[in-house]
Amino acid sequence: MFAVFRDLIRYNIEFTIGLILVGIVAIFAALSFFSPVDPSQIYLAIPDQPPSAQYWFGTNSRGQDLFWQLSAAFRNSLLFGITVAVLSRIISIAVGLAAGYLGGWVDRVLMFINDIFVAVPIFPILVLFYFVLRNHMDSFTMALIMACFGWPFDARLIRSVALGLKHREFTRHAVFAGMSTRKVLLEEHLPYVMPIVFSTFMNNMLWSIGMEVTLAVLGFTNINNPTIGTVLYWANSHSAMVVGVWWWVVIPVILIVITFLGLFLLAVSMNEYIDPRSRLRRMGA
Amino acid sequence: MQGYLWFAAKRFVQLLAVIFFGVSAMFVVTYLSPIDPVEQVLGRLSARSNLSPEAIAATRAALTEMFGTNQPVLTQYFNFWSRLLRGDLGASLMAFPTPAMELVLRALPWTLGLLLTSTAITFVVGNLLGGLAGYFQNSRWLKAFGIVSMGLQPIPYYIVAFIILIVFGFLWPVLPISGGFAMDVRPGWTWSFILSVLQHSLLPALSLVLVGLGGWFIGMRALVSNIVTEDYVTYAELAGVRRDTIVGGYVIRNALVPQVTALAMVIGGVFSGTVITEQVFNYPGMGSLLVDAVNAGDYSTVLAVCTISIAAVALAIFIVDLLHPLLDPRVRAE
């Protein structure tokens, strides 16, 4: 495992950059655990102060210190993304491995369901959920709903790998040795799909955080819970750009770009690492 | 031909299944919700006018009858479907008594126009440039474009739309930043109206294109740079087949197959992007309607927008799927 990381850092500049970018954001988000202020409180600082030695990122029109506000927001958004990614990974691994290995009717039924989930547009459904739940819509409920919709693409990818593994020599050995199906899937096949799981993990986080931003910017989430999206929502509702509080928009946007670019580069470089052809080309073979 | 018809029939069943499950899921969500549509409507009606207690009771009875909320679940479910199939989802609350479906159908052409043109432009330009970048890997311009689109790719719709708004709204105001057409133009098939609509659609479309371009470009470049190392391309080059035939006929055509599959998948996600874009540019489409309806607590219109968008996305994916075999002989043979 560590050898893989060392190789990636050595030969893959995208991976290194991605790791550094995500690392910066992760450390920044982790700082929120030491925050001296409560991020849900307003008017604790002088409003509309530009960045200075006292307020590193300035303060917003609601009297919040943007440094700690954003730190909490990024923590919440990253945790949200990780929750969605972990939950949907469990579904996609289970469905993908089972469909690929068992084949036949199981495969056909699972893939039929998969096709439906691929095609159902999630955004209107999330809006509908918000509309009917209103105040009961917390971020864990939303993570749960999004996890239910975030697995189908990746399940298909995992299935295609499992299809290949099924006919490999070692699978037959394991089966003849009397290994149970569950054991074959978990102990023999799972390690082979782990690289895909990691790369789709990043993609899934990108997708879920982006979806949360979209919903929050429109005001379709719990807007009092600081996240990347709700920071932008409040900045927009106070017309921050128009009244000249530019740091309220520009600083979060820079951080968002860093986060998204970092996760994206990690996903891309992992993808490339999985594909041996491009890895060979990169190493100059 | 026989095989193609069979394939189309299977896809059609899938289309119906997607719509059926999507709409059923919506029914379940609304049924399980703590919001009672009757009380919702009643609250809005009594807020606007002074109703006597008898009038409220009478209205409640009439509304319960209309929504059928006093009936068993299954009856409600079947009623929901039968009304839906007749295109009736009740009157909109924010534009009472206009039917919600009428509002949706009025907004639909705007969104469809915006979505179709921007998706088409993005797909064609992104794949063409990506294909060329994958084949001519030393071109400086294409490399630069790759870096720019790499940087643009992960930025959320909202940010890009907002940057465009700031640039064209305040710094260089040459294009209209709000609305679907100019106030002083009368809607109709006149040149001035069409011109105005086109003018107003430029910026929203630009934001959608900018966000979408990078994905196609990067995907196509990766596909093509893999295909270029295949033996048949080397043979074609050695055999002296013309360059443009190799690029257009062999390389890009083969790489296009997975991209068309991706198109079907992307369409499902594009709707959320248009909602933001329409909201930012105040464009009179489905997205703006949905946002207004949610904010106004307009139960029927939210349901109608969601239903139509699920149906529209499913239909779009169906059409892309039907086009797929025309490109890929393997799917045809299946």
Side-chain angles (χ1 to χ4, degrees), chain A:
Chain A
M1 199 71 222
F2 283 107
V4 171
F5 274 105
R6 208 191 49 223
D7 277 3
L8 274 170
I9 289 172
R10 190 175 300 165
Y11 296 111
N12 200 325
I13 182 78
E14 277 113 345
F15 183 83
T16 318
I17 296 174
L19 202 63
I20 292 171
L21 293 182
V22 171
I24 291 171
V25 177
I27 292 169
F28 176 63
L31 283 180
S32 70
F33 288 111
F34 308 103
S35 170
V37 292
D38 179 356
S40 60
Q41 295 292 312
I42 53 174
Y43 297 117
L44 290 176
I46 314 157
D48 295 339
Q49 295 299 303
S52 64
Q54 194 193 351
Y55 302 116
W56 286 7
F57 289 176
T59 64
N60 63 20
S61 306
R62 306 177 77 218
Q64 292 165 321
D65 185 341
L66 268 179
F67 183 84
W68 298 112
Q69 182 69 19
L70 282 171
S71 173
F74 273 78
R75 181 191 67 194
N76 287 343
S77 282
L78 288 180
L79 285 181
F80 175 78
I82 291 172
T83 316
V84 175
V86 167
L87 290 176
S88 62
R89 242 57 351 230
I90 295 172
I91 307 178
S92 65
I93 292 172
V95 171
L97 285 183
Y101 181 71
L102 297 172
W105 276 107
V106 179
D107 184 29
R108 248 174 273 170
V109 170
L110 284 176
M111 284 306 111
F112 183 72
I113 297 171
N114 187 301
D115 281 340
I116 291 169
F117 271 91
V118 166
V120 171
I122 178 171
F123 184 76
I125 290 182
L126 278 173
V127 172
L128 195 69
F129 264 104
Y130 165 75
F131 184 70
V132 295
L133 291 176
R134 281 289 155 111
N135 304 323
H136 307 281
M137 183 83 158
D138 56 5
S139 68
F140 186 71
T141 316
M142 202 161 95
L144 216 59
I145 300 166
M146 288 195 62
C148 290
F149 287 90
W151 58 272
F153 295 97
D154 311 331
R156 238 173 215 288
L157 260 178
I158 293 172
R159 171 180 170 267
S160 65
V161 176
L163 275 177
L165 291 174
K166 185 183 171 182
H167 298 292
R168 294 267 291 272
E169 201 70 10
F170 70 90
T171 309
R172 248 174 278 165
H173 282 298
V175 173
F176 286 140
M179 231 178 189
S180 71
T181 306
R182 193 179 58 89
K183 267 200 151 174
V184 170
L185 292 185
L186 288 183
E187 286 172 22
E188 301 291 322
H189 288 178
L190 190 58
Y192 283 88
V193 299
M194 268 340 248
I196 296 190
V197 173
F198 279 127
S199 103
T200 59
F201 190 96
M202 311 294 174
N203 270 328
N204 197 266
M205 270 182 78
L206 271 181
W207 171 77
S208 55
I209 295 175
M211 195 64 103
E212 193 271 337
V213 172
T214 308
L215 284 166
V217 161
L218 297 169
F220 291 170
T221 55
N222 177 6
I223 49 175
N224 294 316
N225 180 34
T227 64
I228 297 177
T230 53
V231 167
L232 290 174
Y233 170 82
W234 285 113
N236 195 31
S237 72
H238 283 258
S239 319
M241 263 337 238
V242 183
V243 295
V245 193
W246 55 267
W247 53 90
W248 196 359
V249 176
V250 172
I251 294 175
V253 165
I254 292 172
L255 284 168
I256 292 170
V257 172
I258 290 178
T259 317
F260 276 57
L261 203 59
L263 285 174
F264 179 69
L265 286 175
L266 283 187
V268 167
S269 55
M270 297 278 273
N271 259 338
E272 219 172 271
Y273 188 81
I274 296 164
D275 179 17
R277 261 190 298 190
S278 54
R279 192 167 26 155
L280 279 178
R281 198 172 333 122
R282 184 176 288 277
M283 289 171 166

Side-chain angles (χ1 to χ4, degrees), chain A residues 128 132, chain B residues 24-37 68-74 76-77 299 303:
Chain A
L128 195 69
V132 295
Chain B
S24 299
M26 271 178 21
F27 175 81
V28 173
V29 172
T30 52
Y31 179 77
L32 293 179
S33 87
I35 293 182
D36 182 359
T69 41
N70 53 348
Q71 280 157 344
V73 195
L74 272 181
Q76 278 192 46
Y77 182 63
Y299 193 84
L303 262 189

Side-chain angles (χ1 to χ4, degrees), chain B residues 124-137:
Chain B
V124 172
V125 175
N127 278 314
L128 200 63
L129 287 180
L132 292 177
Y135 192 77
F136 302 103
Q137 290 185 349

Side-chain angles (χ1 to χ4, degrees), chain B residues 149-204:
Chain B
S149 56
M150 203 59 163
L152 263 178
Q153 157 82 9
I155 302 175
Y157 273 109
Y158 173 73
I159 307 291
V160 174
F162 209 70
I163 291 170
I164 289 180
L165 193 69
I166 290 167
V167 170
F168 285 95
F170 301 108
L171 301 179
W172 189 41
V174 284
L175 284 166
I177 54 163
S178 170
F181 52 89
M183 282 299 181
D184 52 352
V185 187
R186 192 186 267 249
W189 290 109
T190 56
W191 276 117
S192 58
F193 177 69
I194 294 170
L195 211 68
S196 175
V197 167
L198 283 179
Q199 242 181 7
H200 281 76
S201 67
L202 275 180
L203 287 186

